[in-house]
């Protein structure tokens, strides 16, 4: 009788394990997404960043003014129904200037961050893969550029070329890739000894393809996080340069130039400083949250990442 009961109960006992075995496994992308969304600050950062991008793209449709229009009948006026964010000393609409300034700062930040990561990934992984004299030469150049007073060179070059934002992108990229490239090099030195790299070499695959197809993709998590946090660093760098008068120049507008214009009137006309400062804070905080969330999601040893994989 006991034997019959044990025999009848065995299918039920085995049912959970069979169901677990047959359950579909999460793909890597969905697993990372689950881990990321478990971080509420990271999810909030994405929402804030998307809203800022939408504001920079479509915000100009909500006002009849542009950043260069001047209303001489309303000089340094506080926010009103006509000028939502008020006007500056020249009668320019602060709302229109904020939309254009945010769009310009975003264009500079995203462009520099993407270019910096691409340059750093290629140079750092190439130095690690080739080794020898190539590695020593690249590291010597990186160490030299790291001690060069880049801020002074950035200020002089940008001021000399009339603050063209495209030139600013090139100059910020030229002096912004070294730290990331050194980290990429240190990690890629271990990847060059992996079996899949040796197998690709044995099959006669060329070095450029090995670097692009086998080494750089395996550094994807590092590069994604650096791409996100690079936006924050670039926004702060561009804002500092423009605030000091070495970045974007008039008639163009960025958040940095708006902060510079409003710095002298914080007490008499606080809206000139408050609105661009608020946009800078929202932009940097949102991207910092996103960067932290990506780092936790892509790192399985982190507390958030481990919890998200359950």
């Amino acid at each position: 009788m006991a034997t019959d009961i044990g025999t009848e109960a065995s299918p039920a006992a085995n049912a959970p394990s069979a169901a677990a075995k047959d359950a579909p496994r999460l793909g890597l992308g969905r697993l990372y997404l689950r881990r990321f969304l478990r971080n509420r600050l990271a999810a909030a950062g994405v929402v804030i960043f998307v809203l800022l991008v939408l504001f920079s793209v479509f915000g100009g449709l909500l006002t009849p003014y542009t950043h260069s229009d001047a209303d001489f009948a309303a000089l340094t006026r506080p926010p009103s129904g006509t000028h939502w964010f008020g006007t500056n000393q020249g009668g320019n609409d602060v709302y229109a200037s904020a939309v254009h300034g945010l769009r310009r700062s975003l264009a500079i930040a995203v462009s520099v961050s993407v270019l910096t990561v691409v340059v750093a990934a290629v140079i750092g992984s190439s130095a690690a893969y080739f080794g020898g004299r190539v590695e020593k030469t690249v590291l010597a150049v990186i160490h030299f550029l790291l001690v060069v007073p880049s801020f002074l060179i950035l200020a002089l070059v940008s001021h000399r070329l009339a603050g063209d934002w495209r030139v600013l992108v090139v100059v910020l990229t030229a002096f912004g890739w070294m730290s990331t490239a050194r980290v990429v090099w240190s990690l890629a030195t271990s990847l060059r000894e992996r079996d899949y790299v040796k197998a690709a070499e044995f099959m006669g695959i060329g070095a450029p393809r090995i670097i692009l197809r086998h080494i750089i993709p395996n550094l994807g998590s590092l590069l994604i996080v650096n791409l996100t946090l690079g936006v924050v660093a670039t926004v702060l760098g561009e804002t500092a340069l423009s605030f000091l008068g070495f970045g974007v120049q008039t008639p163009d507008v960025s958040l940095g130039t708006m902060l510079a214009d409003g710095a002298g009137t914080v007490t008499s006309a606080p809206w000139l400083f408050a609105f661009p400062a608020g946009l800078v804070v929202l932009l940097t905080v949102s991207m910092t949250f996103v960067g932290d969330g990506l780092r936790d999601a892509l790192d399985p040893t982190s507390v958030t990442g481990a919890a998200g994989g359950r």
Side-chain angles (χ1 to χ4, degrees), residues 73-142:
L75 303 179
T76 320
R77 293 291 180 84
S80 63
T82 305
H83 300 283
W84 296 347
F85 289 2
T87 59
N88 62 11
Q89 301 90 330
N92 303 111
D93 186 77
V94 176
Y95 173 84
S97 298
V99 172
H100 182 84
L102 178 60
R103 183 164 62 247
R104 179 65 70 237
S105 294
L106 278 173
I108 295 172
V110 174
S111 300
V112 171
S113 184
V114 171
L115 291 174
T116 298
V117 167
V118 171
V119 172
V122 172
I123 293 179
S125 57
S126 298
Y129 177 75
F130 289 110
R133 293 183 178 179
V134 174
E135 185 177 43
K136 292 179 180 179
T137 303
V138 171
L139 290 179
V141 172
I142 289 175

